[in-house]
């Protein structure tokens, strides 16, 4: 009579921790560079993506390159990727092509809120950094992103669901991860940066389906003093 519970426990240990949870006021902590620590996100989507917006919040002391959000398909390992290529530069990939957004250097490390949108109808990529828009760039007009995806946080996929490189792994804390199958308006972006609830997300931090593999931890969000995030 105890065989089934024991089997479930073994499977949980082999696959990593998992769940569908409301993670408000929580963070994923990635404590060290690694080729194994990753958060897999599960999403129920049966339609190709021709528009999307991804938002997330993170804090790191890294000065090297690292991946934040990686969406790989069988045909394209970087079908959509948010990659911090330099301390003041984001590389946004769609269909294995990329554009780069440069920011002024930061005076000191702090939490950053980033939203990236892409629209296949005109190819426009928009990056919002802490609620401020950067000039739009163009990428992969007319392209569509397959719904059959491996979506991970904290690693860059060189193949579907794997091929991780410790030198590109994220080390730090991450929170408030969302994906919508539409381009958010400027008002919605600013609301998102203040943790307002927006309609119809495919991935929601308030009801997140995920699997943790290796050394990633769910911990309380430690807000900086005098901050409103």
């Amino acid at each position: 009579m105890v065989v089934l519970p024991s089997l479930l426990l073994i499977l949980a240990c082999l696959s990593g921790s998992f769940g569908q949870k409301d993670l408000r006021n929580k963070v994923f902590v990635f404590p060290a560079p690694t080729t194994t620590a990753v958060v897999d996100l599960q999403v129920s989507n049966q339609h190709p993506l021709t528009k999307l917006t991804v938002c997330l919040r993170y804090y790191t002391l890294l000065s090297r390159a690292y991946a934040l959000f990686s969406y790989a398909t069988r045909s394209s390992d970087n079908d959509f990727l948010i990659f911090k290529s330099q301390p003041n530069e984001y590389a946004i990939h769609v269909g294995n092509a990329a554009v780069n957004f440069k920011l002024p250097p930061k005076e000191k490390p702090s939490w950053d809120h980033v939203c990236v949108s892409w629209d296949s109808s005109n190819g426009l990529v928009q990056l919002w950094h802490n609620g401020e828009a950067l000039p739009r760039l163009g990428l992969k007009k007319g392209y569509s992103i397959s719904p059959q995806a491996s979506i991970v946080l904290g690693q860059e996929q060189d193949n579907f669901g794997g091929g991780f490189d410790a030198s590109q792994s994220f080390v730090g804390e991450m929170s408030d991860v969302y994906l919508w199958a539409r381009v958010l308006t400027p008002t919605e972006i600013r609301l998102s940066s203040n943790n307002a609830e927006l309609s119809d997300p495919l991935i929601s931090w308030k009801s997140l389906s995920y699997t943790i593999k290796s050394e990633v931890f769910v911990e309380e969000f430690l807000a900086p003093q005098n901050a409103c995030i």
Side-chain angles (χ1 to χ4, degrees):
M1 296 300 292
V2 297
V3 173
L4 183 56
S6 299
L7 178 59
L8 291 175
L9 178 61
I10 292 169
L11 290 174
C13 293
L14 290 173
S15 62
S17 59
F18 58 91
Q20 181 173 5
K21 297 180 181 178
D22 183 345
L23 293 180
R24 280 176 290 188
N25 299 316
K26 301 288 187 180
V27 297
F28 288 132
V29 179
F30 299 78
T34 174
T35 60
T36 56
V38 68
V39 179
D40 283 325
L41 302 183
Q42 290 83 50
V43 58
S44 178
N45 176 41
Q46 304 301 318
H47 304 288
L49 292 173
T50 56
K51 297 181 180 182
L52 61 80
T53 305
V54 172
C55 294
L56 57 86
R57 197 184 309 277
Y58 74 97
Y59 191 179
T60 183
L61 301 179
L62 291 175
S63 58
R64 60 162 172 80
Y66 53 88
L68 290 165
F69 183 99
S70 174
Y71 184 118
T73 61
R74 296 292 183 185
S75 60
S76 176
D77 55 350
N78 292 331
D79 231 1
F80 182 80
L81 171 68
I82 302 176
F83 190 79
K84 193 74 178 293
S85 49
Q86 298 182 41
N88 65 330
E89 182 178 271
Y90 290 90
I92 307 303
H93 296 245
V94 178
N96 277 340
V99 290
N100 298 303
F101 292 87
K102 288 187 178 290
L103 295 167
K106 293 179 68 172
E107 292 184 4
K108 62 180 182 179
S110 62
W111 280 95
D112 285 306
H113 185 264
V114 175
C115 289
V116 179
S117 66
W118 169 74
D119 188 341
S120 177
S121 67
N122 52 26
L124 291 181
V125 179
Q126 176 76 75
L127 186 142
W128 297 76
H129 181 259
N130 294 331
E132 298 295 327
L134 277 71
R136 283 165 279 206
L137 299 173
L139 188 64
K140 301 296 282 188
K141 179 180 178 181
Y143 185 72
S144 64
I145 298 173
S146 170
Q148 306 304 315
S150 169
I151 306 174
V152 306
L153 303 177
Q155 297 281 359
E156 191 266 324
Q157 301 175 80
D158 283 337
N159 52 60
F160 189 84
F164 304 142
D165 183 342
S167 68
Q168 296 178 334
S169 64
F170 175 72
V171 179
E173 304 193 5
M174 192 180 301
S175 185
D176 302 324
V177 181
Y178 291 87
L179 165 66
W180 294 268
R182 58 190 177 89
V183 174
L184 297 188
T185 67
T187 297
E188 288 177 315
I189 293 288
R190 294 187 178 99
L191 287 171
S192 175
S193 70
N194 289 313
N195 285 330
E197 188 167 356
L198 302 177
S199 63
D200 303 322
L202 293 178
I203 292 173
S204 172
W205 194 248
K206 297 173 183 176
S207 181
L208 194 69
S209 297
Y210 66 92
T211 303
I212 288 176
K213 296 181 179 177
S214 191
E215 296 289 306
V216 182
F217 305 97
V218 178
E219 298 291 335
E220 295 293 325
F221 181 84
L222 300 178
Q225 200 168 22
N226 301 321
C228 298
I229 23 183

